Amino acid sequence: MLVYPKWIPGEHAPNGPIVDVTGMRFFANGKEVSWRRDTVDMYAFRCEIPAGVETLEAQLDYLLPVESSGANVGSATAQIAELPWNLVVLYPKDASSDDVKFSAKLKIPAGWRYATALPVTKDSGDAIEFETVSLTTLVDSPVLAGAHMNTYDLSPGKIPAHHLNAAADSAAMAEVPQEQIAILRQLVAETGALFGGRHYRHYDFLLALTDHLQPNGLEHHESSDNRVPEKTMHDADILETQMDLLPHEFFHSWNGKYRRPAGLATRNYQETMRDELLWVYEGLTQYYGVILAARSGGWKPGGLREYMAVTFARINARPGRTWRDLEDTAISSQLLYTAREGGSSWRRPVDYYEESELIWLDVDTLIRERTGGTKSLDDFCRGFHGGEGSDPKVVPYALDDVVAALSGIVAYDWKKFFEERIRSHGPGAPLAGLERSGWKIAFNGTPNEHMKSEEESGHVMDAEFSLGFSVHYPGVENADEIADVVWGSPAAKVGLAAGMKLIAVNGRKWTPDILREAIRRAKTTKGPVELLVENDEFFQTLKIEFFEGERYPHLEAIAGKADVLGEIAKAKAPRQ
Ligand SMILES: [Zn+2]
């Protein structure tokens, strides 16, 4: 029996794109043999193999999606191709992915360049031949190829080597400004200062700059597959919203790849993964992705605070917490990654990313407080994830191992600490760490800078903290469509719902400026904001009574408290 990879590491869901596997044929000693799919397991195939046959040849095609049809489907544009090898392999059922060996060969369009962490043995110009590796290494080492690609050395003269490989839909956007290279060099140095040991032979950031693939990041031991808008490296607003992506995926090499929850350290890609510790795997990574973006100079202290203000304000206001605890968002992540945007405040999407930033900030500040500033969460990372450097390998852990390692730094009932937070039904998010770091969330009418960047780059107007909804700009994809409505908000109370279209505000064709002005005016006039909306072919006017004006979150210093957040976010390595 042969199988097609179903549970792809880092995707946390059984989403191997089997539906796009086509043209499958099998040959035993050169003679075609018949095959039949298992009637229960759609990823398994049985061949009729005559006695005495030792070699079975399989052929298959993979229909590369033209549209970006999901975050995790490998795809290509006219100028860029991303190839995760799991798209095109079959392997014997029940085999360990460490034991099955593959020798891969790849042809790319003439004149294209490519980058991958997979060692190359021969590049004849016609085809690239790769070293024979285990299936584990193959699936861990995707290839990025493109017509316009530049490679930058991020740790010149040092071992292990680190490179940024940037492929874009245009030659100009594949040029990464020196300022950004300096930030990434600092990032490499900061991970050295944080962990000590590294668990890769070399590291390649694969960066696809295109508006035609779904933005995404996927971690690997020795590389990461990052997909961002084409202008990311040349547009301050887009860059602001993507600043923590590369630090996040890089941190995963230690947290997620080298150290991995036992439930995710499976023998092969058919075995069910258990996602309940994603608040460590993704949550700690999310925290350090953000902190490393600041330590490496990507986010200035003010930018970090604006990011945190909006992120934490959103999480703090999740009404869905009353029925679903944080741990359940992790356990059910295999469902939540593909959940639609509407209803997110009541459903709760993959909240174990952002809410866990608060939990780990809580841990970090608690350690600092209880050790008089001599120890921090960095010490946990150094011991748990760093240690002696090594080649890529997986060291699984259970929650008890995390608890024990933290207890080794400072005695505390960490198990209870985590349980209280991951099983909480609120009200509100765990904000104690934010306050211990010297800051609290405060609202006023001044726009949040991070939200402004989100709006400029995403073209979605965000009135979630006032009227309680967000809406796609006119003239863009999904124009005028209500993106989401906060459960229980003033907008929800009058019946506004995701998917409706906003036509007019107070009798005038809507634009973001007109809507903002209407929210501001209602504060003085105490009259409702009238929205004319289209629900399929039916129109209605909704009157929202909200008189507090525009509301945006910021972090406000708590009087008399030290800026511990500033200390956490400071560079720890010498300037590169
Ligand atoms: Zn991640």
Side-chain angles (χ1 to χ4, degrees), residues 10 12 217-219 248-249 252 255 281-283 285-286 337 353:
H12 317 311
L218 185 61
E219 61 276 19
H248 177 111
E249 302 308 335
H252 266 317
N255 185 51
Y281 179 124
E282 291 295 359
T285 304
Q286 183 69 21
Y337 275 108
Y353 284 86

Side-chain angles (χ1 to χ4, degrees), residues 394-412:
V394 181
V395 181
Y397 65 82
L399 179 55
D400 283 347
D401 298 316
V402 175
V403 165
L406 284 169
S407 300
I409 292 165
V410 63
Y412 195 73

Side-chain angles (χ1 to χ4, degrees), residues 502-513:
L502 182 58
I503 308 296
V505 177
N506 293 346
R508 187 170 179 186
K509 189 174 165 50
W510 100 277
T511 65
D513 284 343

Side-chain angles (χ1 to χ4, degrees), residues 503-566:
I503 308 296
V505 177
N506 293 346
R508 187 170 179 186
K509 189 174 165 50
W510 100 277
T511 65
D513 284 343
I514 284 174
L515 178 54
R516 269 189 274 268
E517 174 61 20
I519 299 170
R520 278 195 295 267
R521 269 188 71 75
K523 191 175 179 180
T524 330
T525 63
K526 306 292 183 219
V529 177
E530 292 192 12
L531 306 183
L532 174 64
V533 298
E534 182 186 349
N535 187 0
D536 295 332
E537 66 246 56
F538 300 93
F539 293 82
Q540 65 187 126
T541 299
L542 303 174
K543 296 182 181 182
I544 307 180
E545 302 211 341
F546 180 79
F547 309 131
E548 292 174 44
E550 289 193 279
R551 283 178 87 239
Y552 300 101
H554 304 279
L555 290 194
E556 192 178 280
I558 300 174
K561 283 213 170 190
D563 179 11
V564 177
L565 180 60

Side-chain angles (χ1 to χ4, degrees), residues 130-152:
F130 297 97
E131 206 170 85
T132 299
V133 294
S134 69
L135 179 58
T136 308
T137 302
L138 186 75
V139 169
D140 192 57
S141 313
V143 179
L144 171 65
H148 315 288
M149 183 189 281
N150 293 307
T151 296
Y152 302 89

